[in-house]
Amino acid sequence: MDEDMLRCVTEQGFAARTLPLPLYVRAHAEVLVPAADAGERLDLRAADIPLLDVAVAADRRGALRQLVERAAVSRILRSGRDSLYDPRDSGADAHDGSPPAVGAGDSHDEAVARAIYQELARRRAESGIEKGTLITGRDQAGGPSGVALRGVDGRIDCYLLGETAGVPAVGAVLRLDRLERPLCAVVCDLWERRGVERAVQAVLREFVVTTLPRLEDTDRAPFPYGDFHDVVAVGETDFETLAPRPPRDETAELRDRLRLHGHRASVRVLGPADRTALVACRLEPTATSEPSADSESEPVRRPTTDTQDDWRPRDVAALGLRAPRQLSLTYERDDVRIGRVYHENSKMRTAYGTLPVVDIAEMSPPARRLLGQAYRDFGHARRQYPMRPSGQPRLLTLDQVVRRRRSWAAMGDGELTRAELAHLLTLSYGTTGAAVAGQDLRLPLRATPSAGGLYSSDLFVLVDRVSGVEPGLYYFHPGKRLLQLVDDERTLAEVAEYTGYRERAGEAAAMVVYVGAFRRNQWKYRERGYRTVLLDCGHLAQSVVTTATSLGLVAHPMIAFVDDYFNAYVGVDGVEDAVLYLTLLGPRRTGDEAA
């Protein structure tokens, strides 16, 4: 489980954060950060978050696995204690002072294999690489399981680079036109197809590192994979000719090959066996006749409280990098969990039956007529005002509207005219034509688009200062083009108290209230219908804003309001129908021509 990997990172005194990647990089990235930067909290200072290491893999679990390994190496380096290397040991000459390779896996054998592969890859990179066999027959921009980079000027080439201790080495070279130099990575793996994928991910990791912002006064971190971008292709081999599956007993095969080449693996357990297995490994020379069994020691104990400081990172800028600023503008996962669950369940699938098949021609005549009656009707209201504009209003050009629109433009204290309100409502949500559906149905079309032509939004207008219209809350009937009174017991000033911008709302001459009618839509679109209701509301609000600006008015959209209060005020239950949005309307202050 991902949580096991994540726990293994935190137990070592570090934290992991997901790193957003450019959309043209098809991979998942996690970064190792100090424990103090573990929380996904909102930080309005956009403070620097130093990155200790970066991991790139096909998915989150693969990236977290790499971070577990990097955290263990960092812990060994920063503690100054390497339990597998003591200069007083007789075998010290076999070590070059580098930290041991670390492997993490779901099992002990998997962790040992990963550690051995990493140590072999380090040796192969350090030995110098001049030639290799080009791997063809696959997407040269990526790996065997998909494209790693899309829509970029460049390519990733993979090579077979011979063997190290009998284990195949695979190299990847990323060449992009706008990079100063190609980027390289080498891995070792008994299964060459998997080696290709790992090499591509490793070179993507180097590419991601080059895109990250740097802390001040730091040099570029050394490239861990060597530099072999000038490798000469001495032949070609098709990807399909590589072994289709790994050895049946991978760890036993590794031990045998190491033994035949005069090596043995010295392994120490670093992590608990009941969760993620974590081991450190060194390769030591031995006679080929010696047994190949691993030499295992007691698990390394976690430090006590007295020595805990020795295990904490001392140099937090290990790579000299800092996280993108957006990591500071974040949130706890539980704050958005329900929204993400909804989004997942509202996706359309290619599988049969995700949405009901609707054939209007097979609907009964009364049901078809309902589709053309996407409105409410307060026909018995004691006050109604026709909203049929007379004459042609003087409108700004589209260029002027786009340049002049500002939500916070200053409002004057004058009135809107009834003609202005009539033009605004009819041009934004009035009927503009009809479509024929079946033999007996003409569906009205409006100025604003709507999913399926179902028009799931209703417009209410709270009038305060509109000449020729008494104050109150009105419903705009788009078919009859009427304002129908709903409530006149509350003033706009009273209602403004339940918005997030009381003073701003109090400046308005009128307020548009958008109500989503979910039943009108979700019979057809089911869970996805909620999305379309919100989209319909957004389309309508933009039409209101654009039309108001063209009339020389100020329109200020607002989402800051108390839902339950506004639902009760309009008279909807907040479940089948709900208030979704507000727009303040007012005359533009005289002399204010701000663009």
Side-chain angles (χ1 to χ4, degrees):
M1 298 293 291
D2 292 356
E3 295 307 316
D4 289 339
M5 291 290 180
L6 190 59
R7 188 182 304 113
C8 198
V9 172
T10 58
E11 286 179 350
Q12 297 184 82
F14 301 91
R17 299 282 293 272
T18 298
L19 178 69
L21 292 179
L23 293 180
Y24 53 82
V25 179
R26 306 303 297 272
H28 184 91
E30 294 282 329
V31 291
L32 191 68
V33 299
D37 295 299
E40 291 200 3
R41 61 188 182 279
L42 180 63
D43 187 347
L44 297 179
R45 302 167 301 163
D48 281 336
I49 298 176
L51 305 187
L52 309 180
D53 216 321
V54 180
V56 175
D59 53 30
R60 183 171 186 249
R61 180 169 179 77
L64 286 174
R65 185 200 309 269
Q66 294 178 29
L67 283 196
V68 170
E69 297 165 347
R70 308 275 172 77
V73 172
S74 296
R75 189 179 67 170
I76 291 171
L77 289 174
R78 287 174 172 80
S79 69
R81 297 195 295 268
D82 180 351
S83 58
L84 293 178
Y85 171 49
D86 188 332
R88 296 170 295 181
D89 292 344
S90 59
D93 291 341
H95 304 141
D96 57 8
S98 61
V102 174
D106 295 329
S107 66
H108 175 80
D109 283 352
E110 182 184 10
V112 170
R114 285 180 61 86
I116 293 173
Y117 287 147
Q118 291 182 39
E119 177 64 15
L120 292 176
R122 183 185 67 82
R123 296 186 178 199
R124 183 69 186 95
E126 291 176 350
S127 67
I129 298 171
E130 297 179 353
K131 60 184 179 181
T133 301
L134 180 66
I135 300 174
T136 61
R138 62 180 186 84
D139 191 327
Q140 290 297 305
S145 60
V147 177
L149 294 172
R150 62 175 181 177
V152 299
D153 243 348
R155 59 191 287 117
I156 297 177
D157 289 319
C158 291
Y159 301 85
L160 294 178
L161 303 175
E163 295 184 345
T164 300
V167 178
V170 179
V173 180
L174 169 60
R175 299 179 175 90
L176 293 178
D177 291 351
R178 293 180 178 85
L179 282 179
E180 294 182 2
R181 65 175 182 85
L183 304 176
C184 318
V186 61
V187 302
C188 287
D189 202 307
L190 283 177
W191 187 22
E192 293 164 337
R193 290 195 180 193
R194 184 175 60 192
V196 170
E197 183 174 352
R198 290 179 53 219
V200 168
Q201 293 169 3
V203 81
L204 280 180
R205 182 249 183 204
E206 174 61 9
F207 174 67
V208 169
V209 168
T210 65
T211 66
L212 292 171
R214 311 201 66 78
L215 294 171
E216 296 180 0
D217 302 325
T218 57
D219 296 325
R220 188 179 185 278
F223 185 39
Y225 299 105
D227 191 2
F228 56 91
H229 58 269
D230 292 328
V231 60
V232 176
V234 294
E236 296 183 356
T237 186
D238 194 289
F239 179 81
E240 295 299 324
T241 65
L242 303 180
R245 58 183 62 87
R248 178 171 298 179
D249 190 337
E250 189 171 358
T251 306
E253 179 73 18
L254 263 178
R255 289 170 174 168
D256 290 343
R257 296 201 187 191
L258 290 176
R259 182 192 60 195
L260 289 174
H261 289 78
H263 295 283
R264 68 191 298 270
S266 177
V267 176
R268 177 170 291 254
V269 176
L270 299 178
D274 59 334
R275 293 197 300 269
T276 301
L278 181 63
V279 303
C281 174
R282 282 198 184 280
L283 298 184
E284 299 175 346
T286 184
T288 57
S289 59
E290 291 186 7
S292 60
D294 296 341
S295 172
E296 301 198 7
S297 308
E298 292 298 321
V300 175
R301 299 182 182 277
R302 283 191 54 77
T304 63
T305 304
D306 294 338
T307 61
Q308 182 70 37
D309 288 342
D310 293 335
W311 292 77
R312 291 177 180 171
R314 295 172 181 168
D315 176 15
V316 295
L319 291 180
L321 302 174
R322 62 174 171 80
R325 296 293 189 189
Q326 66 214 71
L327 281 193
S328 291
L329 300 176
T330 184
Y331 42 76
E332 295 290 344
R333 290 182 181 271
D334 284 344
D335 294 340
V336 295
R337 188 179 303 277
I338 294 176
R340 290 183 175 181
V341 170
Y342 159 71
H343 188 79
E344 182 64 27
N345 284 282
S346 66
K347 289 179 179 177
M348 291 185 69
R349 315 285 182 179
T350 56
Y352 172 79
T354 58
L355 288 178
V357 178
V358 177
D359 187 347
I360 294 179
E362 295 182 359
M363 298 172 67
S364 66
R368 287 203 298 269
R369 284 194 293 271
L370 278 176
L371 299 183
Q373 298 172 359
Y375 45 76
R376 305 172 193 269
D377 195 344
F378 294 81
H380 298 286
R382 66 175 181 271
R383 287 203 303 268
Q384 299 189 58
Y385 295 94
M387 289 285 110
R388 297 181 180 274
S390 59
Q392 182 65 32
R394 182 179 178 182
L395 302 176
L396 300 177
T397 66
L398 179 60
D399 181 83
Q400 291 173 315
V401 169
V402 172
R403 295 177 183 277
R404 194 176 189 186
R405 190 217 64 79
R406 292 293 182 271
S407 297
W408 283 91
M411 293 183 185
D413 56 5
E415 297 179 326
L416 300 183
T417 68
R418 180 170 162 179
E420 287 173 331
L421 185 58
H423 280 301
L424 186 149
L425 294 175
T426 56
L427 290 177
S428 59
Y429 213 36
T431 301
T432 57
V436 178
Q439 297 180 349
D440 59 350
L441 176 64
R442 293 178 62 83
L443 289 175
L445 302 178
R446 303 188 195 174
T448 295
S450 173
L454 300 177
Y455 298 102
S456 59
S457 293
D458 288 311
L459 278 183
F460 291 77
V461 183
L462 174 53
V463 171
D464 186 59
R465 304 189 313 273
V466 177
S467 61
V469 179
E470 293 186 45
L473 177 69
Y474 295 84
Y475 172 69
F476 173 62
H477 193 301
K480 298 178 180 178
R481 295 192 182 183
L482 290 175
L483 276 187
Q484 300 173 326
L485 180 66
V486 177
D487 183 283
D488 61 355
E489 295 183 357
R490 299 181 227 190
T491 66
L492 190 148
E494 292 174 309
V495 173
E497 295 287 336
Y498 294 87
T499 70
Y501 298 93
R502 179 183 60 186
E503 293 183 2
R504 178 62 170 174
E507 296 175 358
M511 175 190 292
V512 179
V513 180
Y514 306 84
V515 173
F518 300 116
R519 184 178 294 276
R520 202 180 293 166
N521 177 296
Q522 288 184 313
W523 67 269
K524 179 177 181 180
Y525 294 111
R526 303 291 174 88
E527 286 284 26
R528 195 171 181 84
Y530 186 72
R531 285 202 211 187
T532 63
V533 171
L534 298 183
L535 292 171
D536 284 359
C537 180
H539 292 318
L540 177 54
Q542 180 61 33
S543 292
V544 169
V545 168
T546 301
T547 304
T549 306
S550 71
L551 290 166
L553 307 177
V554 175
H556 186 161
M558 182 181 295
I559 63 170
F561 59 89
V562 179
D563 290 71
D564 289 343
Y565 174 86
F566 272 84
N567 287 331
Y569 176 42
V570 172
V572 295
D573 62 7
V575 179
E576 295 286 349
D577 308 275
V579 175
L580 302 176
Y581 207 17
L582 309 175
T583 298
L584 307 177
L585 298 174
R588 186 176 289 265
R589 181 181 296 171
T590 304
D592 179 54
E593 301 296 333

